[in-house]
């Protein structure tokens, strides 16, 4: 069970997150949609303290962190309970595909090298990249890089996987393979919080869709309800714009 | 105008060459120590530990702001007068110490700039998988900073090799000291110093070749 309460973030004088409350059940897939600049990335980045929230509480399983007084150990605990998939992949440029997936297992989780490598190779096969084990990020296509990025997140075995527009930086030809991989991650009952502009994908994969605007959650519900019977005028305008 | 005494020069080559190991050893020792110190200083400059940061800035400013020769004299002739436990310090040790501190100050700035030059996405990726600050530096940031800093650091190593010649002013018989002694006996100053100049030159050229290969090696992971 993941619980976000009163999450607030300001950049200077602008309030980017204005008291976000969100609960995510184990194995649930929540998709966040909304206009750009509305705080979706900031929400995800605050959950693992890539951006430090100003107030609020984040609870993941047994970990519960008060943003206002979070110390180094709290932040590490949250980060180790989550995995992040970046829009621009964020692969370690000095590590091969295999090395990227192994890295956290060896360095953070202190697993034996051989075991970490075996797990990483399994994941490379699952992501269809077995033949790219020794390739460095710079020599991979965008789609391949993002699949490594998702593989790295899978390896961690996190309670919560965060996806920040994982297909937005991709050439259209690579979007399909990344979405396919996310579908297969979803089948493992992995808890996922996804920001995306792929509305058809959102409808298909989400248990619940959350619509954000102006740093707040404006409306949420099952995808059919959100997409077919939106209530709030802002959501209706947003959907008209993205589908039109 | 007189002709060069080529026989004398050829005879001098093996004499001076026998001091190459000492010159290289001093430079290598100072390089290793300076690198360790410079990485520590650079990391401090990036994360900025209160109080310590001021001391680090002062250190860097002093050792960049004064001539190497003055620093060497200060260590070898000056310090033992005020710190008696240093009287046992020999010229080689003093030279290595001076070269270390002097070049660490320069290299710290190079490494700091290289660390800052590592893309923000790399820091965030390391944080997102739950690395501690130390793990992030060791596994992700420093290896990538090394690639950025390497060419400049090799240039400092070259400067360091040339800098070891100053050790002769501390009474160390290294390449330059040996040449000085030979020349004082033969009075063939031009020949003697020409030989030592050429030998330094060859060493530095060799290093420049190695530098090119090092760059290719360090860039292999990043090539498209
Ligand atoms: N590091 C930052 N410094 C200042 N403003 C920021 C920073 N990051 C995001 N913002 C601002 O916060 C708002 C929300 O940004 P973001 O969370 O990226 O929106 P979204 O992901 O919904 O497009 C935007 O107005 C953006 O300009
Ligand atoms: Mg965004």
């Amino acid at each position: 069970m993941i619980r976000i309460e009163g999450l607030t973030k300001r950049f200077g004088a602008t309030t980017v997150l204005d008291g976000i409350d969100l609960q995510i059940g184990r194995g649930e897939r929540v998709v966040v949609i909304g206009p750009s600049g509305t705080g979706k990335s900031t929400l995800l980045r605050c959950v693992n303290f890539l951006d430090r929230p100003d107030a609020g509480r984040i609870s993941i399983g047994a970990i519960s962190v008060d943003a206002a007084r979070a110390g180094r150990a709290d932040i590490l605990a949250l980060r180790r309970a989550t995995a992040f998939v970046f829009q621009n992949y964020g692969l370690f440029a000095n590590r091969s595909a295999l090395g990227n997936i192994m890295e956290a297992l060896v360095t953070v989780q202190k697993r034996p090298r051989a075991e970490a490598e075996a797990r990483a190779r399994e994941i490379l096969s699952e992501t269809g990249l077995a033949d790219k084990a020794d390739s460095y990020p710079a020599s991979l296509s965008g789609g391949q890089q993002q699949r490594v990025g998702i593989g790295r997140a899978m390896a961690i075995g996190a309670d919560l996987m965060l996806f920040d527009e994982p297909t937005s930086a991709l050439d259209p030809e690579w979007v399909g393979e990344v979405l396919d991989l996310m579908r297969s991650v979803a089948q493992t009952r992995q808890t996922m919080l996804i920001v995306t502009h792929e509305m058809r994908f959102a409808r298909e994969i989400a248990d619940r869709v959350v619509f954000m605007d102006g740093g707040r959650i404006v409306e949420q519900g099952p995808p059919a309800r959100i997409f077919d019977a939106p209530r709030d005028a802002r959501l209706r305008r947003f959907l008209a714009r993205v589908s039109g | 105008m007189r002709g060069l005494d080529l026989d004398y020069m050829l005879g001098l080559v093996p004499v001076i060459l026998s001091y190459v190991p000492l010159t290289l050893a001093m430079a290598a020792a100072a390089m290793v120590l300076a690198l360790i110190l410079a990485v520590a200083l650079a990391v401090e400059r990036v994360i900025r530990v209160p109080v310590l940061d001021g001391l680090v800035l002062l250190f860097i400013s002093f050792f960049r702001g004064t001539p190497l020769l003055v620093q060497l004299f200060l260590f070898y002739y000056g310090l033992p007068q005020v710190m008696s436990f240093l009287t046992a310090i020999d010229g080689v040790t003093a030279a290595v110490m001076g070269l270390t501190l002097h070049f660490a100050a320069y290299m710290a700035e190079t490494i700091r700039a290289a660390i800052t030059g590592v893309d923000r996405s790399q820091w965030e990726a390391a944080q997102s998988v739950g690395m501690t600050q130390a793990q992030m530096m060791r596994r992700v940031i420093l290896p990538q900073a090394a690639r950025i800093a390497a060419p400049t650091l090799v240039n400092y190593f070259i400067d360091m090799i040339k800098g070891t010649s100053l050790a002769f002013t501390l009474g160390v018989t290294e390449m330059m000291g040996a040449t000085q002694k030979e020349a004082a006996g033969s009075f063939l100053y031009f020949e003697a110093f020409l030989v030592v100049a050429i030998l330094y030159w060859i060493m530095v050229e060799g290093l420049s070749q190695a530098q090119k290969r090092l760059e290719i090696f360090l860039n292999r992971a990043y090539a498209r």
Side-chain angles (χ1 to χ4, degrees), chain B residues 22 26 72 75-77 80 85-98 167 170-172:
Chain B
L22 176 60
M26 285 196 293
L72 291 176
F75 285 125
Y76 186 65
Y77 299 110
F85 64 90
L86 283 177
T87 45
I89 197 172
D90 59 56
V92 172
T93 311
V96 168
M97 231 172 78
L170 311 184
V172 179

Side-chain angles (χ1 to χ4, degrees), chain A residues 11 16 35-43 51 164-165:
Chain A
F11 286 114
V16 174
S36 68
T38 225
K40 304 182 299 295
S41 296
T42 307
L43 169 61
D51 286 329
D164 189 10
E165 297 197 35

Side-chain angles (χ1 to χ4, degrees), chain B residues 145-202:
Chain B
R147 164 179 164 258
I148 303 172
T152 312
L153 294 179
V154 175
N155 284 340
Y156 282 130
F157 184 55
I158 287 171
D159 283 351
M160 220 178 229
I161 288 180
K162 293 185 283 186
T164 57
S165 63
L166 292 176
F168 106 95
T169 62
L170 311 184
V172 179
T173 309
E174 38 62 72
M175 286 170 68
M176 183 60 190
T179 309
Q180 166 76 17
K181 278 184 190 156
E182 291 293 329
S186 66
F187 295 107
L188 293 173
Y189 288 103
F190 185 74
E191 280 85 347
F193 291 128
L194 186 58
V195 169
V196 78
I198 290 171
L199 291 179
Y200 275 119
W201 189 12
I202 291 171

Side-chain angles (χ1 to χ4, degrees), chain B residues 45-203:
Chain B
R45 287 291 296 129
V46 172
I47 62 181
R48 290 164 161 264
V49 183
V51 186
L52 194 57
D53 198 45
L55 294 176
V56 167
L57 273 178
L58 190 69
F59 174 92
I60 292 175
S61 168
F62 176 80
F63 282 98
R64 281 168 41 128
T66 52
L68 176 55
L69 186 61
V70 174
Q71 291 165 14
L72 291 176
F73 275 37
L74 199 57
F75 285 125
Y76 186 65
Y77 299 110
L79 270 191
Q81 294 191 338
V82 288
M83 300 166 105
S84 49
F85 64 90
L86 283 177
T87 45
I89 197 172
D90 59 56
V92 172
T93 311
V96 168
M97 231 172 78
L99 288 167
T100 297
L101 299 178
H102 182 81
F103 281 95
Y106 280 95
M107 286 161 37
E109 282 304 289
T110 302
I111 296 170
R112 185 198 59 75
I115 290 174
T116 319
V118 175
D119 196 81
R120 200 170 74 110
S121 68
Q122 300 294 306
W123 300 73
E124 294 194 339
Q127 288 169 342
S128 80
V129 301
M131 288 191 193
T132 62
Q133 186 126 282
Q135 289 167 341
M136 170 171 73
M137 281 294 167
R138 192 163 47 79
R139 302 286 302 177
V140 180
I141 304 302
L142 289 177
Q144 296 188 47
R147 164 179 164 258
I148 303 172
T152 312
L153 294 179
V154 175
N155 284 340
Y156 282 130
F157 184 55
I158 287 171
D159 283 351
M160 220 178 229
I161 288 180
K162 293 185 283 186
T164 57
S165 63
L166 292 176
F168 106 95
T169 62
L170 311 184
V172 179
T173 309
E174 38 62 72
M175 286 170 68
M176 183 60 190
T179 309
Q180 166 76 17
K181 278 184 190 156
E182 291 293 329
S186 66
F187 295 107
L188 293 173
Y189 288 103
F190 185 74
E191 280 85 347
F193 291 128
L194 186 58
V195 169
V196 78
I198 290 171
L199 291 179
Y200 275 119
W201 189 12
I202 291 171
M203 279 164 60

Side-chain angles (χ1 to χ4, degrees), chain A residues 45 48 50 76 79-80 82-84 86 90-95 103-104 107-108 110 113 136 138-140 145 152 156, chain B residues 120-133 135-136 138-144 147 220-224:
Chain A
R45 293 168 56 84
N48 75 350
L50 284 181
L76 276 185
R79 287 179 179 161
R80 288 171 184 181
T82 56
F84 204 103
F86 295 89
L91 298 184
F92 301 125
N94 59 324
R95 302 250 177 267
E103 183 58 39
T107 305
V108 178
K110 310 283 183 201
R113 249 198 124 66
Y136 283 82
S139 66
L140 297 173
Q145 287 190 63
R152 178 173 70 182
I156 290 171
Chain B
R120 200 170 74 110
S121 68
Q122 300 294 306
W123 300 73
E124 294 194 339
Q127 288 169 342
S128 80
V129 301
M131 288 191 193
T132 62
Q133 186 126 282
Q135 289 167 341
M136 170 171 73
R138 192 163 47 79
R139 302 286 302 177
V140 180
I141 304 302
L142 289 177
Q144 296 188 47
R147 164 179 164 258
R220 80 206 177 286
Y222 305 84
R224 278 211 169 260

Side-chain angles (χ1 to χ4, degrees), chain A residues 160-180:
Chain A
L160 173 65
M161 237 189 240
L162 302 158
F163 294 80
D164 189 10
E165 297 197 35
T167 58
S168 293
L170 293 174
D171 290 337
E173 53 182 320
W174 309 124
V175 170
E177 63 187 44
V178 170
L179 295 182
D180 280 344

